[in-house]
Short mmCIF file of all heavy atoms in Angstrom, two decimals:
data_model
loop_
_atom_site.label_atom_id
_atom_site.label_comp_id
_atom_site.label_asym_id
_atom_site.label_seq_id
_atom_site.Cartn_x
_atom_site.Cartn_y
_atom_site.Cartn_z
N ASP A 271 134.82 102.80 89.54
CA ASP A 271 135.00 102.00 90.76
C ASP A 271 135.32 102.94 91.91
O ASP A 271 136.47 103.12 92.29
CB ASP A 271 136.12 100.97 90.57
CG ASP A 271 136.24 100.02 91.75
OD1 ASP A 271 135.30 99.97 92.56
OD2 ASP A 271 137.26 99.32 91.86
N THR A 272 134.29 103.58 92.46
CA THR A 272 134.50 104.57 93.53
C THR A 272 133.31 104.60 94.47
O THR A 272 132.16 104.45 94.03
CB THR A 272 134.70 105.98 92.93
OG1 THR A 272 134.86 106.92 94.00
CG2 THR A 272 133.53 106.40 92.08
N PRO A 273 133.57 104.79 95.78
CA PRO A 273 132.44 104.99 96.70
C PRO A 273 131.78 106.35 96.50
O PRO A 273 130.66 106.56 96.93
CB PRO A 273 133.10 104.91 98.09
CG PRO A 273 134.48 104.40 97.87
CD PRO A 273 134.86 104.74 96.47
N GLY A 274 132.49 107.28 95.85
CA GLY A 274 131.97 108.62 95.62
C GLY A 274 133.11 109.62 95.60
O GLY A 274 134.26 109.31 95.91
N ALA A 275 132.80 110.84 95.20
CA ALA A 275 133.82 111.89 95.20
C ALA A 275 134.24 112.22 96.63
O ALA A 275 133.44 112.09 97.57
CB ALA A 275 133.27 113.13 94.51
N TYR A 276 135.51 112.62 96.79
CA TYR A 276 136.04 112.92 98.12
C TYR A 276 135.34 114.17 98.66
O TYR A 276 135.31 115.22 98.02
CB TYR A 276 137.54 113.13 98.05
CG TYR A 276 138.22 113.09 99.40
CD1 TYR A 276 137.94 112.09 100.31
CD2 TYR A 276 139.17 114.06 99.76
CE1 TYR A 276 138.56 112.04 101.54
CE2 TYR A 276 139.81 114.02 100.98
CZ TYR A 276 139.49 113.00 101.87
OH TYR A 276 140.11 112.95 103.09
N ALA A 277 134.79 114.04 99.85
CA ALA A 277 133.92 115.11 100.39
C ALA A 277 134.53 115.79 101.60
O ALA A 277 133.85 116.01 102.60
CB ALA A 277 132.55 114.53 100.74
N ASP A 278 135.83 116.12 101.50
CA ASP A 278 136.42 116.85 102.62
C ASP A 278 136.29 118.35 102.39
O ASP A 278 135.82 118.80 101.32
CB ASP A 278 137.89 116.46 102.78
CG ASP A 278 138.74 116.94 101.62
OD1 ASP A 278 138.20 116.99 100.49
OD2 ASP A 278 139.93 117.25 101.82
N LEU A 279 136.68 119.13 103.39
CA LEU A 279 136.52 120.58 103.31
C LEU A 279 137.35 121.18 102.19
O LEU A 279 136.89 122.07 101.45
CB LEU A 279 136.92 121.20 104.67
CG LEU A 279 136.73 122.72 104.79
CD1 LEU A 279 135.27 123.09 104.61
CD2 LEU A 279 137.24 123.19 106.15
N LYS A 280 138.59 120.70 102.01
CA LYS A 280 139.46 121.25 100.99
C LYS A 280 138.90 121.01 99.59
O LYS A 280 138.94 121.92 98.72
CB LYS A 280 140.86 120.60 101.11
CG LYS A 280 141.93 121.28 100.26
CD LYS A 280 142.21 122.67 100.78
CE LYS A 280 143.35 123.32 99.99
NZ LYS A 280 143.56 124.72 100.42
N SER A 281 138.34 119.82 99.35
CA SER A 281 137.75 119.53 98.03
C SER A 281 136.57 120.44 97.75
O SER A 281 136.38 120.90 96.61
CB SER A 281 137.33 118.06 97.96
OG SER A 281 138.44 117.21 98.05
N GLU A 282 135.78 120.70 98.76
CA GLU A 282 134.65 121.60 98.56
C GLU A 282 135.13 123.01 98.27
O GLU A 282 134.56 123.72 97.43
CB GLU A 282 133.75 121.60 99.80
CG GLU A 282 133.05 120.28 100.08
CD GLU A 282 132.15 119.86 98.93
OE1 GLU A 282 131.57 120.74 98.27
OE2 GLU A 282 132.03 118.64 98.69
N GLU A 283 136.19 123.44 98.95
CA GLU A 283 136.74 124.78 98.68
C GLU A 283 137.28 124.89 97.26
O GLU A 283 137.18 125.94 96.63
CB GLU A 283 137.86 125.08 99.69
CG GLU A 283 137.35 125.32 101.11
CD GLU A 283 138.50 125.50 102.09
OE1 GLU A 283 139.67 125.34 101.67
OE2 GLU A 283 138.23 125.80 103.26
N LEU A 284 137.85 123.79 96.74
CA LEU A 284 138.43 123.81 95.40
C LEU A 284 137.39 123.56 94.30
O LEU A 284 137.75 123.47 93.13
CB LEU A 284 139.54 122.76 95.31
CG LEU A 284 140.78 123.05 96.16
CD1 LEU A 284 141.72 121.86 96.14
CD2 LEU A 284 141.51 124.29 95.65
N GLY A 285 136.13 123.41 94.67
CA GLY A 285 135.06 123.30 93.67
C GLY A 285 134.78 121.89 93.21
O GLY A 285 134.81 121.62 92.01
N GLN A 286 134.48 120.99 94.16
CA GLN A 286 134.18 119.60 93.80
C GLN A 286 132.92 119.50 92.95
O GLN A 286 132.91 118.84 91.90
CB GLN A 286 134.00 118.78 95.09
CG GLN A 286 133.77 117.30 94.88
CD GLN A 286 135.02 116.57 94.47
OE1 GLN A 286 135.40 116.65 93.31
NE2 GLN A 286 135.63 115.86 95.39
N GLY A 287 131.87 120.19 93.37
CA GLY A 287 130.62 120.15 92.60
C GLY A 287 130.76 120.76 91.23
O GLY A 287 130.21 120.25 90.24
N GLU A 288 131.51 121.85 91.15
CA GLU A 288 131.70 122.50 89.85
C GLU A 288 132.48 121.60 88.90
O GLU A 288 132.17 121.52 87.70
CB GLU A 288 132.44 123.83 90.06
CG GLU A 288 132.67 124.64 88.79
CD GLU A 288 133.97 124.28 88.09
OE1 GLU A 288 134.86 123.68 88.75
OE2 GLU A 288 134.11 124.56 86.89
N ALA A 289 133.48 120.89 89.42
CA ALA A 289 134.28 120.01 88.57
C ALA A 289 133.44 118.87 88.02
O ALA A 289 133.53 118.53 86.83
CB ALA A 289 135.46 119.46 89.38
N ILE A 290 132.59 118.28 88.88
CA ILE A 290 131.71 117.19 88.43
C ILE A 290 130.72 117.71 87.38
O ILE A 290 130.50 117.08 86.33
CB ILE A 290 131.00 116.56 89.62
CG1 ILE A 290 132.01 115.84 90.53
CG2 ILE A 290 129.91 115.58 89.17
CD1 ILE A 290 131.42 115.33 91.84
N ALA A 291 130.11 118.86 87.67
CA ALA A 291 129.12 119.41 86.74
C ALA A 291 129.76 119.75 85.39
O ALA A 291 129.16 119.53 84.33
CB ALA A 291 128.49 120.66 87.35
N HIS A 292 130.98 120.27 85.43
CA HIS A 292 131.68 120.61 84.19
C HIS A 292 131.91 119.35 83.35
O HIS A 292 131.77 119.35 82.12
CB HIS A 292 133.01 121.29 84.53
CG HIS A 292 133.50 122.19 83.45
ND1 HIS A 292 134.46 123.15 83.63
CD2 HIS A 292 133.15 122.29 82.14
CE1 HIS A 292 134.69 123.78 82.50
NE2 HIS A 292 133.90 123.28 81.57
N ASN A 293 132.29 118.26 84.02
CA ASN A 293 132.49 116.99 83.30
C ASN A 293 131.20 116.50 82.67
O ASN A 293 131.19 116.02 81.53
CB ASN A 293 133.04 115.93 84.26
CG ASN A 293 134.53 116.06 84.49
OD1 ASN A 293 135.08 117.14 84.35
ND2 ASN A 293 135.18 114.97 84.83
N LEU A 294 130.10 116.57 83.42
CA LEU A 294 128.81 116.10 82.90
C LEU A 294 128.44 116.88 81.64
O LEU A 294 128.02 116.29 80.63
CB LEU A 294 127.71 116.26 83.97
CG LEU A 294 127.86 115.47 85.26
CD1 LEU A 294 126.71 115.78 86.20
CD2 LEU A 294 127.89 113.98 84.99
N ARG A 295 128.58 118.18 81.70
CA ARG A 295 128.22 119.01 80.55
C ARG A 295 129.11 118.71 79.34
O ARG A 295 128.63 118.59 78.21
CB ARG A 295 128.33 120.49 80.92
CG ARG A 295 127.87 121.43 79.81
CD ARG A 295 128.08 122.87 80.19
NE ARG A 295 129.51 123.21 80.27
CZ ARG A 295 129.97 124.41 80.61
NH1 ARG A 295 129.12 125.37 80.93
NH2 ARG A 295 131.27 124.64 80.65
N THR A 296 130.39 118.55 79.60
CA THR A 296 131.33 118.33 78.49
C THR A 296 131.12 116.97 77.84
O THR A 296 131.20 116.85 76.61
CB THR A 296 132.77 118.45 79.02
OG1 THR A 296 132.94 119.73 79.63
CG2 THR A 296 133.77 118.29 77.89
N MET A 297 130.85 115.94 78.63
CA MET A 297 130.72 114.59 78.08
C MET A 297 129.57 114.47 77.10
O MET A 297 129.61 113.67 76.17
CB MET A 297 130.58 113.56 79.21
CG MET A 297 131.85 113.33 80.00
SD MET A 297 131.76 111.93 81.12
CE MET A 297 132.05 110.57 80.00
N PHE A 298 128.50 115.25 77.33
CA PHE A 298 127.37 115.18 76.41
C PHE A 298 127.66 115.86 75.08
O PHE A 298 126.90 115.72 74.13
CB PHE A 298 126.13 115.81 77.06
CG PHE A 298 125.43 114.91 78.02
CD1 PHE A 298 125.56 115.07 79.37
CD2 PHE A 298 124.65 113.86 77.56
CE1 PHE A 298 124.93 114.24 80.26
CE2 PHE A 298 124.00 113.01 78.43
CZ PHE A 298 124.15 113.19 79.79
N GLY A 299 128.78 116.59 74.99
CA GLY A 299 129.11 117.24 73.73
C GLY A 299 130.30 116.64 73.02
O GLY A 299 130.68 117.13 71.95
#
Side-chain angles (χ1 to χ4, degrees):
D271 186 14
T272 178
Y276 195 46
D278 68 328
L279 183 61
K280 191 67 176 175
S281 295
E282 294 300 327
E283 289 175 355
L284 293 172
Q286 184 74 282
E288 182 271 341
I290 293 173
H292 206 163
N293 280 26
L294 297 179
R295 184 184 68 181
T296 303
M297 289 190 80
F298 280 103

